[in-house]
Amino acid sequence: PDLNLIYFNGKYYGLWIELKIKPNTPSTEQGDYINYLNSQGHYAKVCYTYEEAISTITDYLNNKL
């Protein structure tokens, strides 16, 4: 992922965001790694706009995920 926030928010050990512009999609390897991070107690996702990324970061920091 392109962005990582190493911060335990009480639920997840860290936030990971893969940034993409539509119509691009994550590679198989990127998707596998995102799934791995999620299985290990992190919150990882793909964001397609900066608004989505900002919202995800804000929600993560405010424990709304």
Short mmCIF file of all heavy atoms in Angstrom, two decimals:
data_model
loop_
_atom_site.label_atom_id
_atom_site.label_comp_id
_atom_site.label_asym_id
_atom_site.label_seq_id
_atom_site.Cartn_x
_atom_site.Cartn_y
_atom_site.Cartn_z
N PRO A 1 0.81 -1.22 0.00
CA PRO A 1 0.00 0.00 0.00
C PRO A 1 0.85 1.27 0.00
O PRO A 1 1.99 1.28 0.47
CB PRO A 1 -0.82 -0.13 1.27
CG PRO A 1 -0.94 -1.61 1.47
CD PRO A 1 0.38 -2.15 1.01
N ASP A 2 0.25 2.34 -0.51
CA ASP A 2 0.96 3.60 -0.66
C ASP A 2 1.07 4.39 0.64
O ASP A 2 1.99 5.18 0.81
CB ASP A 2 0.23 4.48 -1.69
CG ASP A 2 0.19 3.83 -3.04
OD1 ASP A 2 1.27 3.58 -3.60
OD2 ASP A 2 -0.92 3.55 -3.54
N LEU A 3 0.11 4.20 1.53
CA LEU A 3 0.08 5.00 2.75
C LEU A 3 -0.10 4.08 3.94
O LEU A 3 -0.89 3.14 3.90
CB LEU A 3 -1.10 5.98 2.68
CG LEU A 3 -1.19 6.97 3.81
CD1 LEU A 3 -1.47 8.34 3.22
CD2 LEU A 3 -2.26 6.59 4.78
N ASN A 4 0.67 4.34 5.01
CA ASN A 4 0.58 3.55 6.22
C ASN A 4 0.58 4.46 7.42
O ASN A 4 1.40 5.38 7.51
CB ASN A 4 1.76 2.57 6.31
CG ASN A 4 1.76 1.81 7.62
OD1 ASN A 4 2.54 2.13 8.49
ND2 ASN A 4 0.90 0.84 7.74
N LEU A 5 -0.36 4.22 8.32
CA LEU A 5 -0.42 4.94 9.57
C LEU A 5 -0.21 3.92 10.68
O LEU A 5 -1.09 3.08 10.92
CB LEU A 5 -1.76 5.65 9.72
CG LEU A 5 -2.01 6.42 11.01
CD1 LEU A 5 -0.96 7.53 11.17
CD2 LEU A 5 -3.40 7.03 10.99
N ILE A 6 0.95 3.95 11.30
CA ILE A 6 1.26 2.99 12.36
C ILE A 6 0.73 3.57 13.66
O ILE A 6 1.41 4.34 14.34
CB ILE A 6 2.77 2.72 12.43
CG1 ILE A 6 3.27 2.20 11.08
CG2 ILE A 6 3.08 1.71 13.53
CD1 ILE A 6 4.76 2.13 10.96
N TYR A 7 -0.51 3.23 13.96
CA TYR A 7 -1.17 3.76 15.14
C TYR A 7 -2.27 2.78 15.55
O TYR A 7 -3.16 2.49 14.75
CB TYR A 7 -1.77 5.14 14.82
CG TYR A 7 -2.62 5.70 15.93
CD1 TYR A 7 -2.03 6.24 17.07
CD2 TYR A 7 -4.00 5.70 15.84
CE1 TYR A 7 -2.81 6.76 18.09
CE2 TYR A 7 -4.79 6.22 16.86
CZ TYR A 7 -4.19 6.74 17.98
OH TYR A 7 -4.96 7.25 18.99
N PHE A 8 -2.19 2.28 16.77
CA PHE A 8 -3.22 1.39 17.29
C PHE A 8 -4.39 2.23 17.75
O PHE A 8 -4.24 3.08 18.63
CB PHE A 8 -2.66 0.55 18.44
CG PHE A 8 -3.66 -0.39 19.04
CD1 PHE A 8 -4.18 -1.44 18.30
CD2 PHE A 8 -4.08 -0.21 20.34
CE1 PHE A 8 -5.10 -2.31 18.86
CE2 PHE A 8 -5.00 -1.08 20.91
CZ PHE A 8 -5.51 -2.14 20.17
N ASN A 9 -5.54 2.04 17.13
CA ASN A 9 -6.71 2.86 17.47
C ASN A 9 -7.64 2.17 18.46
O ASN A 9 -8.78 2.58 18.63
CB ASN A 9 -7.47 3.27 16.21
CG ASN A 9 -8.24 2.12 15.57
OD1 ASN A 9 -8.10 0.96 15.95
ND2 ASN A 9 -9.05 2.44 14.57
N GLY A 10 -7.17 1.12 19.09
CA GLY A 10 -8.00 0.38 20.04
C GLY A 10 -8.63 -0.85 19.42
O GLY A 10 -9.09 -1.74 20.13
N LYS A 11 -8.64 -0.90 18.10
CA LYS A 11 -9.22 -2.05 17.39
C LYS A 11 -8.23 -2.62 16.37
O LYS A 11 -8.10 -3.83 16.26
CB LYS A 11 -10.52 -1.65 16.69
CG LYS A 11 -11.22 -2.79 16.01
CD LYS A 11 -12.56 -2.36 15.43
CE LYS A 11 -13.25 -3.54 14.75
NZ LYS A 11 -14.52 -3.15 14.14
N TYR A 12 -7.58 -1.75 15.63
CA TYR A 12 -6.65 -2.17 14.58
C TYR A 12 -5.24 -1.71 14.92
O TYR A 12 -5.05 -0.67 15.54
CB TYR A 12 -7.06 -1.58 13.22
CG TYR A 12 -8.41 -2.01 12.75
CD1 TYR A 12 -9.49 -1.13 12.80
CD2 TYR A 12 -8.62 -3.28 12.26
CE1 TYR A 12 -10.75 -1.52 12.35
CE2 TYR A 12 -9.87 -3.69 11.82
CZ TYR A 12 -10.94 -2.80 11.87
OH TYR A 12 -12.17 -3.19 11.44
N TYR A 13 -4.25 -2.49 14.47
CA TYR A 13 -2.85 -2.18 14.74
C TYR A 13 -2.29 -1.10 13.82
O TYR A 13 -1.29 -0.48 14.14
CB TYR A 13 -1.99 -3.44 14.61
CG TYR A 13 -2.31 -4.45 15.67
CD1 TYR A 13 -2.95 -5.63 15.34
CD2 TYR A 13 -1.98 -4.21 17.00
CE1 TYR A 13 -3.26 -6.56 16.32
CE2 TYR A 13 -2.29 -5.13 17.98
CZ TYR A 13 -2.93 -6.30 17.63
OH TYR A 13 -3.24 -7.22 18.60
N GLY A 14 -2.92 -0.88 12.69
CA GLY A 14 -2.44 0.13 11.76
C GLY A 14 -3.40 0.28 10.60
O GLY A 14 -4.26 -0.57 10.37
N LEU A 15 -3.25 1.38 9.89
CA LEU A 15 -4.07 1.68 8.72
C LEU A 15 -3.18 1.65 7.49
O LEU A 15 -2.10 2.24 7.48
CB LEU A 15 -4.71 3.06 8.86
CG LEU A 15 -5.43 3.62 7.64
CD1 LEU A 15 -6.65 2.78 7.29
CD2 LEU A 15 -5.82 5.07 7.87
N TRP A 16 -3.65 0.95 6.47
CA TRP A 16 -2.92 0.84 5.20
C TRP A 16 -3.87 1.20 4.06
O TRP A 16 -4.98 0.67 3.99
CB TRP A 16 -2.44 -0.59 5.00
CG TRP A 16 -1.55 -1.10 6.08
CD1 TRP A 16 -1.92 -1.48 7.34
CD2 TRP A 16 -0.14 -1.28 6.01
NE1 TRP A 16 -0.83 -1.90 8.04
CE2 TRP A 16 0.28 -1.79 7.25
CE3 TRP A 16 0.79 -1.08 5.01
CZ2 TRP A 16 1.61 -2.09 7.52
CZ3 TRP A 16 2.12 -1.38 5.28
CH2 TRP A 16 2.50 -1.87 6.52
N ILE A 17 -3.45 2.10 3.19
CA ILE A 17 -4.29 2.52 2.07
C ILE A 17 -3.52 2.38 0.76
O ILE A 17 -2.40 2.90 0.63
CB ILE A 17 -4.78 3.98 2.23
CG1 ILE A 17 -5.68 4.11 3.45
CG2 ILE A 17 -5.50 4.45 0.97
CD1 ILE A 17 -6.13 5.53 3.75
N GLU A 18 -4.12 1.67 -0.16
CA GLU A 18 -3.61 1.59 -1.54
C GLU A 18 -4.38 2.63 -2.34
O GLU A 18 -5.62 2.61 -2.37
CB GLU A 18 -3.82 0.19 -2.12
CG GLU A 18 -3.42 0.05 -3.55
CD GLU A 18 -1.93 0.24 -3.81
OE1 GLU A 18 -1.11 -0.07 -2.93
OE2 GLU A 18 -1.60 0.74 -4.91
N LEU A 19 -3.67 3.56 -2.97
CA LEU A 19 -4.31 4.62 -3.74
C LEU A 19 -4.37 4.23 -5.21
O LEU A 19 -3.36 3.85 -5.80
CB LEU A 19 -3.53 5.93 -3.58
CG LEU A 19 -3.43 6.45 -2.14
CD1 LEU A 19 -2.40 7.55 -2.05
CD2 LEU A 19 -4.78 6.92 -1.65
N LYS A 20 -5.55 4.33 -5.79
CA LYS A 20 -5.74 4.02 -7.20
C LYS A 20 -6.64 5.08 -7.83
O LYS A 20 -7.44 5.72 -7.15
CB LYS A 20 -6.43 2.65 -7.38
CG LYS A 20 -5.59 1.48 -6.97
CD LYS A 20 -4.44 1.28 -7.93
CE LYS A 20 -3.60 0.07 -7.54
NZ LYS A 20 -2.35 0.01 -8.28
N ILE A 21 -6.49 5.25 -9.12
CA ILE A 21 -7.38 6.11 -9.90
C ILE A 21 -8.16 5.19 -10.83
O ILE A 21 -7.57 4.37 -11.53
CB ILE A 21 -6.59 7.15 -10.72
CG1 ILE A 21 -5.84 8.09 -9.78
CG2 ILE A 21 -7.52 7.93 -11.64
CD1 ILE A 21 -4.89 9.05 -10.48
N LYS A 22 -9.50 5.31 -10.78
CA LYS A 22 -10.31 4.47 -11.66
C LYS A 22 -9.97 4.76 -13.10
O LYS A 22 -9.72 5.90 -13.45
CB LYS A 22 -11.80 4.70 -11.40
CG LYS A 22 -12.23 4.10 -10.08
CD LYS A 22 -13.72 4.19 -9.88
CE LYS A 22 -14.08 3.58 -8.54
NZ LYS A 22 -15.48 3.56 -8.28
N PRO A 23 -9.90 3.77 -13.94
CA PRO A 23 -10.37 2.40 -13.80
C PRO A 23 -9.30 1.43 -13.32
O PRO A 23 -9.50 0.22 -13.38
CB PRO A 23 -10.79 2.05 -15.23
CG PRO A 23 -9.79 2.76 -16.07
CD PRO A 23 -9.51 4.07 -15.33
N ASN A 24 -8.16 1.92 -12.81
CA ASN A 24 -7.10 1.03 -12.34
C ASN A 24 -7.57 0.23 -11.14
O ASN A 24 -8.36 0.72 -10.32
CB ASN A 24 -5.85 1.82 -11.98
CG ASN A 24 -5.26 2.53 -13.17
OD1 ASN A 24 -5.40 2.09 -14.30
ND2 ASN A 24 -4.62 3.66 -12.93
N THR A 25 -7.06 -0.97 -11.01
CA THR A 25 -7.38 -1.83 -9.88
C THR A 25 -6.08 -2.38 -9.31
O THR A 25 -5.06 -2.40 -9.99
CB THR A 25 -8.29 -3.01 -10.30
OG1 THR A 25 -7.61 -3.76 -11.31
CG2 THR A 25 -9.62 -2.51 -10.83
N PRO A 26 -6.12 -2.83 -8.07
CA PRO A 26 -4.91 -3.41 -7.48
C PRO A 26 -4.47 -4.67 -8.23
O PRO A 26 -5.31 -5.42 -8.74
CB PRO A 26 -5.33 -3.77 -6.05
CG PRO A 26 -6.56 -2.98 -5.80
CD PRO A 26 -7.22 -2.78 -7.11
N SER A 27 -3.17 -4.88 -8.28
CA SER A 27 -2.65 -6.12 -8.85
C SER A 27 -3.03 -7.28 -7.94
O SER A 27 -3.45 -7.08 -6.79
CB SER A 27 -1.13 -6.04 -8.97
OG SER A 27 -0.54 -6.02 -7.68
N THR A 28 -2.87 -8.47 -8.43
CA THR A 28 -3.15 -9.66 -7.62
C THR A 28 -2.31 -9.64 -6.35
O THR A 28 -2.81 -9.92 -5.26
CB THR A 28 -2.87 -10.94 -8.43
OG1 THR A 28 -3.70 -10.94 -9.58
CG2 THR A 28 -3.11 -12.18 -7.60
N GLU A 29 -1.05 -9.27 -6.49
CA GLU A 29 -0.15 -9.23 -5.34
C GLU A 29 -0.60 -8.17 -4.32
O GLU A 29 -0.55 -8.40 -3.11
CB GLU A 29 1.30 -8.94 -5.78
CG GLU A 29 1.93 -10.06 -6.58
CD GLU A 29 1.55 -10.06 -8.06
OE1 GLU A 29 0.87 -9.11 -8.52
OE2 GLU A 29 1.92 -11.02 -8.75
N GLN A 30 -1.02 -7.01 -4.82
CA GLN A 30 -1.50 -5.97 -3.92
C GLN A 30 -2.76 -6.43 -3.19
O GLN A 30 -2.91 -6.22 -1.99
CB GLN A 30 -1.79 -4.69 -4.69
CG GLN A 30 -0.54 -3.97 -5.15
CD GLN A 30 -0.84 -2.81 -6.09
OE1 GLN A 30 -1.74 -2.88 -6.92
NE2 GLN A 30 -0.06 -1.75 -5.95
N GLY A 31 -3.68 -7.03 -3.91
CA GLY A 31 -4.90 -7.54 -3.29
C GLY A 31 -4.61 -8.60 -2.25
O GLY A 31 -5.20 -8.60 -1.16
N ASP A 32 -3.68 -9.49 -2.57
CA ASP A 32 -3.29 -10.53 -1.61
C ASP A 32 -2.69 -9.91 -0.35
O ASP A 32 -2.97 -10.36 0.77
CB ASP A 32 -2.29 -11.51 -2.23
CG ASP A 32 -2.91 -12.40 -3.29
OD1 ASP A 32 -4.16 -12.49 -3.38
OD2 ASP A 32 -2.13 -13.03 -4.04
N TYR A 33 -1.86 -8.89 -0.52
CA TYR A 33 -1.22 -8.26 0.64
C TYR A 33 -2.24 -7.50 1.48
O TYR A 33 -2.18 -7.54 2.72
CB TYR A 33 -0.08 -7.35 0.20
CG TYR A 33 0.82 -6.95 1.34
CD1 TYR A 33 1.50 -7.91 2.09
CD2 TYR A 33 0.99 -5.62 1.68
CE1 TYR A 33 2.31 -7.55 3.15
CE2 TYR A 33 1.81 -5.26 2.74
CZ TYR A 33 2.47 -6.22 3.47
OH TYR A 33 3.26 -5.86 4.52
N ILE A 34 -3.18 -6.83 0.84
CA ILE A 34 -4.25 -6.14 1.57
C ILE A 34 -5.05 -7.16 2.39
O ILE A 34 -5.36 -6.93 3.56
CB ILE A 34 -5.15 -5.34 0.60
CG1 ILE A 34 -4.38 -4.11 0.11
CG2 ILE A 34 -6.46 -4.94 1.26
CD1 ILE A 34 -5.03 -3.39 -1.05
N ASN A 35 -5.39 -8.29 1.79
CA ASN A 35 -6.11 -9.34 2.51
C ASN A 35 -5.28 -9.87 3.69
O ASN A 35 -5.82 -10.12 4.77
CB ASN A 35 -6.49 -10.49 1.57
CG ASN A 35 -7.56 -10.08 0.59
OD1 ASN A 35 -8.34 -9.17 0.83
ND2 ASN A 35 -7.58 -10.75 -0.55
N TYR A 36 -3.98 -10.05 3.47
CA TYR A 36 -3.10 -10.51 4.54
C TYR A 36 -3.09 -9.50 5.70
O TYR A 36 -3.22 -9.89 6.87
CB TYR A 36 -1.68 -10.73 4.01
CG TYR A 36 -0.69 -11.00 5.11
CD1 TYR A 36 -0.64 -12.24 5.74
CD2 TYR A 36 0.19 -10.00 5.52
CE1 TYR A 36 0.26 -12.48 6.76
CE2 TYR A 36 1.10 -10.23 6.55
CZ TYR A 36 1.13 -11.47 7.17
OH TYR A 36 2.01 -11.69 8.19
N LEU A 37 -2.93 -8.22 5.39
CA LEU A 37 -2.91 -7.20 6.44
C LEU A 37 -4.20 -7.22 7.24
O LEU A 37 -4.18 -7.15 8.48
CB LEU A 37 -2.69 -5.81 5.83
CG LEU A 37 -1.29 -5.55 5.28
CD1 LEU A 37 -1.29 -4.29 4.42
CD2 LEU A 37 -0.28 -5.44 6.41
N ASN A 38 -5.33 -7.33 6.55
CA ASN A 38 -6.61 -7.38 7.24
C ASN A 38 -6.71 -8.62 8.14
O ASN A 38 -7.26 -8.55 9.24
CB ASN A 38 -7.76 -7.34 6.24
CG ASN A 38 -7.97 -5.96 5.66
OD1 ASN A 38 -7.85 -4.96 6.35
ND2 ASN A 38 -8.28 -5.90 4.39
N SER A 39 -6.17 -9.72 7.70
CA SER A 39 -6.22 -10.95 8.50
C SER A 39 -5.32 -10.89 9.73
O SER A 39 -5.48 -11.68 10.66
CB SER A 39 -5.84 -12.17 7.65
OG SER A 39 -4.44 -12.22 7.42
N GLN A 40 -4.38 -9.95 9.75
CA GLN A 40 -3.43 -9.82 10.86
C GLN A 40 -3.80 -8.70 11.83
O GLN A 40 -2.98 -8.30 12.66
CB GLN A 40 -2.02 -9.59 10.31
CG GLN A 40 -1.49 -10.74 9.48
CD GLN A 40 -1.44 -12.03 10.28
OE1 GLN A 40 -0.86 -12.08 11.36
NE2 GLN A 40 -2.08 -13.08 9.76
N GLY A 41 -5.01 -8.17 11.73
CA GLY A 41 -5.47 -7.16 12.68
C GLY A 41 -5.25 -5.72 12.28
O GLY A 41 -5.38 -4.82 13.10
N HIS A 42 -4.92 -5.51 11.01
CA HIS A 42 -4.78 -4.15 10.50
C HIS A 42 -6.05 -3.80 9.71
O HIS A 42 -6.87 -4.65 9.42
CB HIS A 42 -3.57 -4.06 9.56
CG HIS A 42 -2.28 -4.32 10.26
ND1 HIS A 42 -1.51 -3.32 10.80
CD2 HIS A 42 -1.61 -5.48 10.51
CE1 HIS A 42 -0.43 -3.85 11.36
NE2 HIS A 42 -0.47 -5.16 11.18
N TYR A 43 -6.18 -2.53 9.37
CA TYR A 43 -7.27 -2.09 8.49
C TYR A 43 -6.63 -1.65 7.19
O TYR A 43 -5.89 -0.66 7.16
CB TYR A 43 -8.07 -0.95 9.12
CG TYR A 43 -9.31 -0.63 8.32
CD1 TYR A 43 -10.49 -1.34 8.54
CD2 TYR A 43 -9.31 0.34 7.34
CE1 TYR A 43 -11.63 -1.07 7.80
CE2 TYR A 43 -10.44 0.62 6.60
CZ TYR A 43 -11.60 -0.08 6.83
OH TYR A 43 -12.73 0.18 6.09
N ALA A 44 -6.88 -2.39 6.12
CA ALA A 44 -6.29 -2.08 4.82
C ALA A 44 -7.38 -2.02 3.78
O ALA A 44 -8.30 -2.85 3.78
CB ALA A 44 -5.26 -3.15 4.46
N LYS A 45 -7.27 -1.05 2.88
CA LYS A 45 -8.27 -0.92 1.82
C LYS A 45 -7.71 -0.14 0.65
O LYS A 45 -6.65 0.48 0.75
CB LYS A 45 -9.54 -0.26 2.34
CG LYS A 45 -9.40 1.23 2.66
CD LYS A 45 -10.72 1.86 3.06
CE LYS A 45 -11.60 2.10 1.87
NZ LYS A 45 -12.81 2.84 2.13
N VAL A 46 -8.46 -0.16 -0.44
CA VAL A 46 -8.13 0.60 -1.64
C VAL A 46 -9.03 1.83 -1.65
O VAL A 46 -10.23 1.73 -1.43
CB VAL A 46 -8.38 -0.24 -2.92
CG1 VAL A 46 -8.09 0.58 -4.17
CG2 VAL A 46 -7.56 -1.52 -2.89
N CYS A 47 -8.44 3.00 -1.90
CA CYS A 47 -9.20 4.24 -2.04
C CYS A 47 -8.98 4.77 -3.45
O CYS A 47 -7.86 4.78 -3.96
CB CYS A 47 -8.75 5.27 -1.02
SG CYS A 47 -9.16 4.85 0.69
N TYR A 48 -10.07 5.24 -4.06
CA TYR A 48 -10.01 5.70 -5.45
C TYR A 48 -10.05 7.23 -5.59
O TYR A 48 -9.85 7.74 -6.68
CB TYR A 48 -11.15 5.08 -6.26
CG TYR A 48 -10.94 3.59 -6.44
CD1 TYR A 48 -11.49 2.67 -5.57
CD2 TYR A 48 -10.15 3.11 -7.48
CE1 TYR A 48 -11.27 1.30 -5.73
CE2 TYR A 48 -9.93 1.75 -7.66
CZ TYR A 48 -10.49 0.87 -6.77
OH TYR A 48 -10.27 -0.48 -6.93
N THR A 49 -10.32 7.94 -4.50
CA THR A 49 -10.31 9.40 -4.52
C THR A 49 -9.62 9.91 -3.26
O THR A 49 -9.56 9.19 -2.25
CB THR A 49 -11.74 10.00 -4.57
OG1 THR A 49 -12.41 9.67 -3.34
CG2 THR A 49 -12.52 9.47 -5.77
N TYR A 50 -9.15 11.14 -3.30
CA TYR A 50 -8.53 11.68 -2.10
C TYR A 50 -9.57 11.90 -1.02
O TYR A 50 -9.28 11.77 0.18
CB TYR A 50 -7.74 12.97 -2.39
CG TYR A 50 -8.57 14.20 -2.64
CD1 TYR A 50 -8.93 15.03 -1.59
CD2 TYR A 50 -8.97 14.54 -3.93
CE1 TYR A 50 -9.69 16.17 -1.82
CE2 TYR A 50 -9.72 15.67 -4.17
CZ TYR A 50 -10.09 16.48 -3.11
OH TYR A 50 -10.83 17.60 -3.34
N GLU A 51 -10.82 12.17 -1.42
CA GLU A 51 -11.88 12.32 -0.42
C GLU A 51 -12.11 11.01 0.33
O GLU A 51 -12.31 11.01 1.56
CB GLU A 51 -13.20 12.76 -1.08
CG GLU A 51 -13.18 14.14 -1.68
CD GLU A 51 -12.87 14.15 -3.18
OE1 GLU A 51 -12.42 13.12 -3.71
OE2 GLU A 51 -13.09 15.20 -3.81
N GLU A 52 -12.09 9.91 -0.39
CA GLU A 52 -12.25 8.60 0.24
C GLU A 52 -11.09 8.31 1.18
O GLU A 52 -11.28 7.78 2.28
CB GLU A 52 -12.38 7.51 -0.83
CG GLU A 52 -12.62 6.14 -0.26
CD GLU A 52 -12.70 5.06 -1.33
OE1 GLU A 52 -12.41 5.32 -2.53
OE2 GLU A 52 -13.05 3.93 -0.96
N ALA A 53 -9.88 8.65 0.77
CA ALA A 53 -8.71 8.43 1.62
C ALA A 53 -8.79 9.27 2.89
O ALA A 53 -8.55 8.77 4.00
CB ALA A 53 -7.43 8.73 0.86
N ILE A 54 -9.14 10.54 2.75
CA ILE A 54 -9.26 11.42 3.92
C ILE A 54 -10.35 10.92 4.86
O ILE A 54 -10.17 10.88 6.08
CB ILE A 54 -9.53 12.88 3.48
CG1 ILE A 54 -8.28 13.45 2.82
CG2 ILE A 54 -9.96 13.75 4.66
CD1 ILE A 54 -8.48 14.78 2.13
N SER A 55 -11.48 10.52 4.31
CA SER A 55 -12.58 9.99 5.11
C SER A 55 -12.15 8.73 5.85
O SER A 55 -12.47 8.54 7.03
CB SER A 55 -13.79 9.71 4.22
OG SER A 55 -14.83 9.12 4.95
N THR A 56 -11.43 7.85 5.17
CA THR A 56 -10.95 6.62 5.80
C THR A 56 -10.00 6.93 6.94
O THR A 56 -10.11 6.35 8.03
CB THR A 56 -10.27 5.72 4.75
OG1 THR A 56 -11.22 5.38 3.74
CG2 THR A 56 -9.74 4.45 5.39
N ILE A 57 -9.07 7.85 6.73
CA ILE A 57 -8.12 8.23 7.78
C ILE A 57 -8.86 8.83 8.97
O ILE A 57 -8.61 8.48 10.12
CB ILE A 57 -7.07 9.20 7.24
CG1 ILE A 57 -6.19 8.51 6.19
CG2 ILE A 57 -6.21 9.78 8.38
CD1 ILE A 57 -5.35 9.45 5.36
N THR A 58 -9.78 9.74 8.70
CA THR A 58 -10.55 10.39 9.76
C THR A 58 -11.36 9.36 10.55
O THR A 58 -11.37 9.38 11.79
CB THR A 58 -11.48 11.46 9.16
OG1 THR A 58 -10.68 12.43 8.47
CG2 THR A 58 -12.28 12.16 10.24
N ASP A 59 -12.04 8.48 9.84
CA ASP A 59 -12.83 7.45 10.51
C ASP A 59 -11.95 6.52 11.34
O ASP A 59 -12.31 6.12 12.44
CB ASP A 59 -13.64 6.63 9.51
CG ASP A 59 -14.81 7.41 8.91
OD1 ASP A 59 -15.14 8.49 9.43
OD2 ASP A 59 -15.38 6.91 7.92
N TYR A 60 -10.78 6.18 10.81
CA TYR A 60 -9.84 5.33 11.54
C TYR A 60 -9.42 6.01 12.85
O TYR A 60 -9.44 5.39 13.91
CB TYR A 60 -8.62 5.02 10.67
CG TYR A 60 -7.64 4.11 11.36
CD1 TYR A 60 -7.80 2.74 11.32
CD2 TYR A 60 -6.55 4.63 12.06
CE1 TYR A 60 -6.90 1.90 11.98
CE2 TYR A 60 -5.65 3.80 12.69
CZ TYR A 60 -5.83 2.43 12.65
OH TYR A 60 -4.95 1.61 13.30
N LEU A 61 -9.04 7.27 12.77
CA LEU A 61 -8.57 7.98 13.95
C LEU A 61 -9.67 8.21 14.97
O LEU A 61 -9.41 8.33 16.16
CB LEU A 61 -7.92 9.31 13.56
CG LEU A 61 -6.60 9.17 12.78
CD1 LEU A 61 -6.14 10.54 12.29
CD2 LEU A 61 -5.53 8.51 13.65
N ASN A 62 -10.91 8.28 14.50
CA ASN A 62 -12.06 8.49 15.39
C ASN A 62 -12.76 7.19 15.76
O ASN A 62 -13.88 7.23 16.29
CB ASN A 62 -13.05 9.47 14.74
CG ASN A 62 -12.50 10.87 14.67
OD1 ASN A 62 -11.89 11.36 15.62
ND2 ASN A 62 -12.68 11.53 13.54
N ASN A 63 -12.12 6.06 15.48
CA ASN A 63 -12.65 4.73 15.83
C ASN A 63 -14.05 4.49 15.26
O ASN A 63 -14.91 3.90 15.92
CB ASN A 63 -12.65 4.52 17.34
CG ASN A 63 -11.26 4.51 17.90
OD1 ASN A 63 -10.37 3.91 17.34
ND2 ASN A 63 -11.07 5.19 19.02
N LYS A 64 -14.29 4.91 14.03
CA LYS A 64 -15.59 4.71 13.40
C LYS A 64 -15.56 3.58 12.38
O LYS A 64 -16.52 3.40 11.64
CB LYS A 64 -16.06 6.00 12.74
CG LYS A 64 -16.36 7.09 13.73
CD LYS A 64 -16.92 8.31 13.05
CE LYS A 64 -17.26 9.38 14.08
NZ LYS A 64 -17.79 10.59 13.43
N LEU A 65 -14.48 2.81 12.32
CA LEU A 65 -14.40 1.70 11.38
C LEU A 65 -14.64 0.39 12.09
O LEU A 65 -14.38 0.23 13.22
CB LEU A 65 -13.02 1.68 10.70
CG LEU A 65 -12.69 2.91 9.88
CD1 LEU A 65 -11.26 2.83 9.37
CD2 LEU A 65 -13.63 2.99 8.68
#
